[in-house]
Amino acid sequence: MQRFGTLSFGHYGPLGGGRELTAGDSMRQAIDLAQGMDDLGAVGVYFRVHHFARQQASPMPLLAAIAATTKNVEIGTGVIDMRYENPLYLAEEAAAVDLISDGRLALGVSRGSPETVVRGYEAFGYTGSQDPRGADIARQHFDTFLRAIEGEGLAERDPNSPFGGGSGMQRIEPHSPGLRSRIWWGAGNTDSAEWAGRMGVNLMSSTLLTQADGTPFDILQGQQLDAFRAAWREAGHPGEPRTSVSRSIFPITTAEDELYFGGSNEQDGIGYIDGMRSTFGKTYAAAPDVLVEQLLQDAAVQSADTLMLTIPSQLGVEFNLRIVESFAKYVAPALGWQPQTATAR
């Protein structure tokens, strides 16, 4: 593990006891968290994207705000649901955020996760899918998106335009050189990971896989990462791709930590998600020395270069920064991480 960051689901709504976390609260807290992460020297802040739900749905304004108020921390998504996206508009927004951040964008995209509504992407105007989960729409949109950020001309210039005219094909603007190398695909199974390797994009793997044969989750995920890298090499792509995995990890260092997480002893589980039999990863919650021992035995954590810590964002910025600080101080160095040099804002 060379890098780590936080993965926030961005939930908002009732908190109990008459308290309410609004959408505005959630976004402002996300910005504050990112600034605190930047000061800690942590690597990244990443956000889940869900439509028709009380979670982050339009990440680009949030990422732009974070980009403008931080210096070092990587900013990204895990993941944007491509079924819902206009690929050219997304390419414009992604390029703008990447330029604002001086190349710190790590944009994770995919077919997306199960929804709270039925085929919600059709309400956004994207119809005609021949797949019950809309995977064909996601792949089509992703192909156009990649062509756009690569700088391919996608619209014919108008020679009679009062704004310059010309001939040939025009690329989208702004264009951010290097953004193509910072695109990630969120893969929920080995086939999808191999496809990402052939496409030449980085790989995000989450806390579940839509595969279940009795193999422990970390081993199954490690095999997925190996298959991705093999597909990357076989396709002839240069260099080494990045890989990330997500884990729920809580160092218990205070009585409050014990209160919240002391009873967490979840193990790998088998269940169904989106109609598919799946393997779910366990939650790690223990004293730091125990966590180090456990994570050194986690095959996928050891294989990936980036670890995303899923955080309980509803508990607030101070609480989550303390979790991250404990992980950075007591656990991450034993896994191979070294802090960045934070730059004062």
Side-chain angles (χ1 to χ4, degrees):
M1 186 199 80
Q2 302 167 7
R3 308 170 177 89
F4 82 90
T6 56
L7 177 62
S8 172
F9 287 66
H11 293 291
Y12 55 90
L15 295 174
R19 297 175 300 156
E20 178 88 7
L21 184 71
T22 69
D25 294 333
S26 176
M27 286 183 276
R28 286 187 289 270
Q29 288 184 11
I31 295 170
D32 291 343
L33 176 68
Q35 292 173 348
M37 293 279 285
D38 208 31
D39 292 339
L40 284 175
V43 169
V45 286
Y46 314 94
F47 299 91
R48 291 291 297 269
V49 180
H50 287 275
H51 299 283
F52 296 106
R54 290 180 173 178
Q55 294 180 245
Q56 304 295 352
S58 53
M60 290 306 177
L62 176 61
L63 295 182
I66 293 173
T69 54
T70 58
K71 295 293 185 182
N72 297 302
V73 71
E74 186 172 72
I75 56 176
T77 52
V79 290
I80 290 175
D81 190 331
M82 290 301 294
R83 296 174 295 183
Y84 284 80
E85 295 296 326
N86 178 314
L88 299 189
Y89 187 54
L90 179 63
E92 291 175 340
E93 290 188 310
V97 172
D98 198 51
L99 292 168
I100 292 170
S101 68
D102 291 326
R104 288 185 284 130
L105 180 62
L107 193 71
V109 301
S110 188
R111 188 217 72 185
S113 60
E115 305 174 88
T116 59
V117 298
V118 178
R119 298 173 75 92
Y121 46 90
E122 293 185 346
F124 275 53
Y126 302 115
T127 59
S129 173
Q130 302 302 307
D131 183 278
R133 300 181 183 89
D136 51 351
I137 290 179
R139 294 283 179 93
Q140 292 164 12
H141 287 186
F142 183 62
D143 177 69
T144 303
F145 170 75
L146 281 187
R147 291 163 55 203
I149 63 170
E150 287 169 350
E152 180 179 334
L154 295 171
E156 185 177 358
R157 292 189 179 96
D158 181 358
N160 300 313
S161 170
F163 303 105
S167 61
M169 302 297 287
Q170 176 63 45
R171 72 183 186 188
I172 62 105
E173 294 289 350
H175 174 72
S176 182
L179 175 58
R180 173 64 169 78
S181 67
R182 293 186 287 278
I183 303 302
W184 302 64
W185 182 262
N189 55 51
T190 299
D191 289 344
S192 183
E194 290 175 335
W195 177 84
R198 292 191 295 271
M199 292 294 293
V201 292
N202 304 301
L203 179 70
M204 285 185 176
S205 189
S206 187
T207 54
L208 67 91
L209 291 171
T210 55
Q211 300 169 235
D213 61 5
T215 302
F217 176 77
D218 68 303
I219 301 297
L220 197 63
Q221 192 173 48
Q223 293 171 352
Q224 182 199 35
L225 300 184
D226 290 342
F228 162 73
R229 294 189 182 102
W232 174 285
R233 291 191 297 268
E234 290 169 7
H237 298 299
E240 287 294 321
R242 284 183 61 186
T243 54
S244 72
V245 296
S246 301
R247 293 288 186 275
S248 297
I249 301 172
F250 303 106
I252 296 178
T253 61
T254 69
E256 186 178 28
D257 297 336
E258 181 69 33
L259 177 66
Y260 276 108
F261 308 116
S264 299
N265 57 356
E266 297 178 29
Q267 300 300 310
D268 290 358
I270 302 293
Y272 285 85
I273 189 167
D274 213 15
M276 292 177 282
R277 184 173 165 85
S278 304
T279 306
F280 298 79
K282 64 183 179 182
T283 295
Y284 290 95
D289 59 333
V290 176
L291 286 181
V292 168
E293 182 178 346
Q294 292 175 335
L295 292 170
L296 286 174
Q297 298 302 313
D298 187 308
V301 169
Q302 293 304 300
S303 176
D305 62 73
T306 301
L307 175 61
M308 296 184 181
L309 307 176
T310 61
I311 57 170
S313 54
Q314 303 99 310
L315 295 182
V317 175
E318 182 178 351
F319 184 89
N320 282 286
L321 281 177
R322 185 166 57 75
I323 291 175
V324 174
E325 188 170 14
S326 293
F327 182 82
K329 184 176 181 179
Y330 301 116
V331 180
L335 303 180
W337 173 77
Q338 295 182 345
Q340 301 180 59
T341 301
T343 302
R345 289 189 298 276

